[in-house]
Amino acid sequence: MLGARCLLLALRRCSSALCLKHPQAARLRVREALEAQEVSGDIKVQGWVHSVRSQKEILFLHINDGSSLESLQVVADPSLENRDLTFGSAVEVQGKLVKSPHRMQNVELKAENIRVVGPCDTLMYPFKPRERYPLEYSRQFPHLRCRTNMLSSLLRVRSEATAAIHSFFKDNGYVHVHTPIITSNDCEGAGELFHVRTLNKAQQPRENSLFFNVPAFLTVSGQLHLEVMAGAFTQVFTFGPTFRAENSQSRRHLAEFYMIEAEIFFTESLQDIIQVMEDLFKTATSTVLSKCPQDVELFHKYVSPAQKGRLEQMLKNKFRIISYTEAVEILKRSPETFTFQPKWGNDLQTEHEKYLVKHCGEVPVFVINYPYDLKPFYMWDNEDGPQHTVAAVDLLIPGVGELCGGSLREERLDFLQSRLEGLGLSDAYQWYLDLRRFGSAPHGGFGMGFERYLQCILGVDNIKDVIPFPRFPHSCLL
Ligand code: 4AD
Ligand code: MG
């Protein structure tokens, strides 16, 4: 049944210009071939050679085109072998898909013709067949590492996770918004901005003028633009690149990362935001686990054997909620010696986040109501006395630390106005104040770091290994 559907798909694709050169052979992706039981007639598979094994009477190849972790076995007469048919070469194999006599695979491709499309200089190629390389080694070759099993699995998981997150929001009635990448505001107010300028004076529209008339930056968050849109569409989200000029070489920070941000109008409490964060995490993760189990399994087997159990615990249990004040108390009572002494009013450090998650039984923990002075201007003032807090929430995850940050937004015009005045920002943010003048309502939202989310699902220690082309201080390869 599956085989027939694949063949039909392939035949339909066969009208493409490429296939017209070989009108008789239907082109199948490796994944489609592996899922097919048997296909009558000739097929053609294109991909890269993962292994070549030549025996006296038979030649075995494994080829892969990135569509599946598993490679397709090709069997051929040794006369089809040639000097260029090596590990890493790009090939096109034409032949018949037949039931395999081996227990390891359902089908194999009995080759009638093998064409080396692009040879590979195996002496210079940084990878060798059947070797498993540490992620740090592969990281040196951002232009080639996607050909390794580990990175190709990662990229398929990344792609499925992207789709799962979009589906979650779509299924729950959110409108997707493209927030701008170039912006004139610093949403987080931390000054970690990349300045956008034209390359040289000749490209400026006028002598001594800025291209946009105002200083412009790469966005650190789409939140403020999402607030605009949530004020018309009620529930919105964005999923795009975000940039931070943080001088951090940590295993959790990148200068360019992807963030999923949601904004919801007509909220009643922080609980509304917390619920969406937990639902998003659990729904998207379950979808990814069911869509690409083999790819996830590869990481759980070879990179982080404890992660599978951890993830099951996270999906099964209700996430915990504690206040920042409770968190500081827990840390103070802890027998652990911290490098940074926990103190009310100070930010939680990685070591603190780690301890809090352990204290709560290795389940994700929402920490709510942070000190007013620690958080950006847009957060709702809880007006709660000497230990002055805002309605903020951070989600801490075992092994990763902070995965999400969110808050209720300050929608009371007078509160917001005086906070912006105090920061000398009220002129620049007139438009933001307008949102509170014209049909405002309680609202809030959050941002989830996509790379940290992938680190969490797969148990990858370094964030540089879950993004195709990592950007961080002193490195912008390719
Ligand atoms: O906590 P953050 O800074 O929150 C915001 O930007 C809010 N404006 C989001 C919102 O409410 N719409 O960032 C959100 C998340 C963090 O929890 C973290 O997972 C991730 O983005 N993140 C980073 N990921 C990789 N590298 C960095 N340098 C990151 N900085 C933040
Ligand atoms: Mg944060």
Side-chain angles (χ1 to χ4, degrees):
M1 194 57 202
L2 235 176
R5 211 185 68 217
C6 287
L7 183 62
L8 209 83
L9 272 171
L11 287 171
R12 211 175 292 147
R13 262 192 266 118
C14 214
S15 56
S16 73
L18 210 133
C19 269
L20 282 177
K21 287 191 213 154
H22 306 278
Q24 73 282 32
R27 192 176 68 185
L28 286 193
R29 299 295 308 269
V30 164
R31 188 191 179 119
E32 293 167 336
L34 290 169
E35 284 174 354
Q37 292 308 315
E38 224 168 308
V39 172
S40 57
D42 265 13
I43 68 149
K44 183 169 65 178
V45 176
Q46 294 154 328
W48 292 268
V49 175
H50 273 220
S51 73
V52 189
R53 193 156 46 92
S54 183
Q55 291 183 352
K56 218 158 115 207
E57 297 189 341
I58 199 154
L59 172 71
F60 288 104
L61 299 182
H62 278 99
I63 60 170
N64 200 304
D65 61 356
S67 60
S68 143
L69 174 61
E70 206 183 324
S71 296
L72 177 66
Q73 174 157 288
V74 175
V75 288
D77 188 279
S79 63
L80 292 181
E81 193 170 12
N82 74 60
R83 204 164 47 93
D84 287 337
L85 187 61
T86 64
F87 172 68
S89 58
V91 294
E92 182 176 282
V93 182
Q94 197 178 327
K96 292 214 163 36
L97 200 61
V98 297
K99 205 163 168 46
S100 173
H102 304 281
R103 263 186 301 129
M104 299 292 280
Q105 65 263 328
N106 271 339
V107 289
E108 58 190 24
L109 180 56
K110 213 163 173 310
E112 281 149 21
N113 186 28
I114 301 175
R115 184 165 74 90
V116 177
V117 182
C120 172
D121 179 345
T122 48
L123 282 180
M124 302 295 285
Y125 194 50
F127 301 105
K128 302 282 168 261
R130 284 187 291 277
E131 294 239 347
R132 204 172 296 288
Y133 292 93
L135 291 167
E136 307 82 69
Y137 173 81
S138 308
R139 208 184 295 150
Q140 301 168 82
F141 312 101
H143 56 311
L144 296 170
R145 67 175 179 166
C146 49
R147 305 256 193 97
T148 65
N149 278 349
M150 209 54 100
L151 259 292
S152 94
S153 281
L154 178 268
L155 289 161
R156 280 187 296 275
V157 171
R158 205 180 148 103
S159 171
E160 285 297 348
T162 304
I165 288 165
H166 273 272
S167 297
F168 170 84
F169 285 116
K170 190 166 185 287
D171 295 347
N172 285 286
Y174 286 70
V175 172
H176 177 237
V177 176
H178 289 115
T179 49
I181 286 172
I182 299 176
T183 171
S184 57
N185 67 58
D186 175 8
C187 173
E188 296 305 288
E192 292 162 340
L193 299 168
F194 287 105
H195 200 166
V196 177
R197 275 188 296 218
T198 52
L199 193 57
N200 59 43
K201 277 229 164 101
Q203 287 172 306
Q204 303 272 2
R206 270 177 284 122
E207 193 70 21
N208 295 330
S209 72
L210 294 168
F211 187 90
F212 297 109
N213 285 357
V214 290
F217 315 101
L218 295 180
T219 185
V220 293
S221 162
Q223 177 197 319
L224 304 183
H225 302 95
L226 273 191
E227 281 187 64
V228 170
M229 294 300 173
F233 297 98
T234 313
Q235 299 187 145
V236 291
F237 80 103
T238 191
F239 187 164
T242 314
F243 307 86
R244 303 225 175 150
E246 278 171 289
N247 197 9
S248 169
Q249 289 284 356
S250 93
R251 55 176 195 89
R252 307 188 313 157
H253 290 89
L254 288 167
E256 177 181 295
F257 63 98
Y258 277 71
M259 185 156 40
I260 298 104
E261 294 183 87
E263 198 66 30
I264 303 139
F265 247 58
F266 304 109
T267 47
E268 284 175 6
S269 71
L270 207 48
Q271 184 57 41
D272 292 347
I273 307 300
I274 287 175
Q275 194 60 52
V276 181
M277 287 171 162
E278 184 165 343
D279 289 349
L280 168 65
F281 181 90
K282 289 183 171 169
T283 310
T285 307
S286 305
T287 308
V288 171
L289 293 179
S290 71
K291 291 271 183 190
C292 38
Q294 286 179 318
D295 291 315
V296 176
E297 184 65 28
L298 186 77
F299 278 85
H300 289 175
K301 197 164 166 194
Y302 295 107
V303 174
S304 178
Q307 200 60 18
K308 190 174 179 189
R310 265 181 173 177
L311 208 52
E312 278 165 8
Q313 284 298 105
M314 292 189 224
L315 293 178
K316 208 167 64 192
N317 290 298
K318 184 109 191 86
F319 294 1
R320 293 278 309 270
I321 304 177
I322 57 173
S323 71
Y324 166 87
T325 305
E326 280 175 78
V328 173
E329 287 310 313
I330 292 169
L331 293 168
K332 279 185 176 166
R333 284 199 305 270
S334 133
E336 214 131 311
T337 343
F338 296 114
T339 312
F340 295 91
Q341 277 316 303
K343 183 166 170 253
W344 202 98
N346 288 355
D347 230 339
L348 298 178
Q349 302 294 325
T350 309
E351 56 179 349
H352 301 146
E353 293 173 351
K354 219 168 147 182
Y355 183 82
L356 289 171
V357 167
K358 194 169 87 184
H359 176 86
C360 293
E362 296 290 338
V363 292
V365 187
F366 291 106
V367 179
I368 60 170
N369 298 333
Y370 279 75
Y372 178 92
D373 290 331
L374 279 185
K375 293 290 184 184
F377 68 89
Y378 53 70
M379 293 193 179
W380 170 275
D381 184 345
N382 282 330
E383 292 182 276
D384 50 356
Q387 293 202 324
H388 191 179
T389 66
V390 284
V393 52
D394 275 5
L395 173 59
L396 310 183
I397 294 273
V400 170
E402 182 194 328
L403 173 69
C404 301
S407 72
L408 291 182
R409 317 308 186 191
E410 185 56 81
E411 104 269 356
R412 294 163 296 184
L413 181 62
D414 49 341
F415 275 68
L416 191 58
Q417 203 152 19
S418 67
R419 189 138 199 211
L420 284 170
E421 269 162 18
L423 295 165
L425 291 171
S426 55
D427 285 347
Y429 281 96
Q430 274 308 314
W431 65 271
Y432 192 65
L433 291 165
D434 268 356
L435 300 178
R436 277 71 184 164
R437 292 187 180 108
F438 310 126
S440 186
H443 64 286
F446 68 92
M448 174 168 97
F450 185 48
E451 284 72 25
R452 290 193 190 173
Y453 172 69
L454 294 171
Q455 281 186 279
C456 170
I457 297 189
L458 300 173
V460 174
D461 188 50
N462 196 316
I463 197 164
K464 301 174 184 79
D465 297 322
V466 294
I467 187 163
F469 303 104
R471 271 83 180 90
F472 50 96
H474 314 296
S475 175
C476 186
L477 295 179
L478 271 64

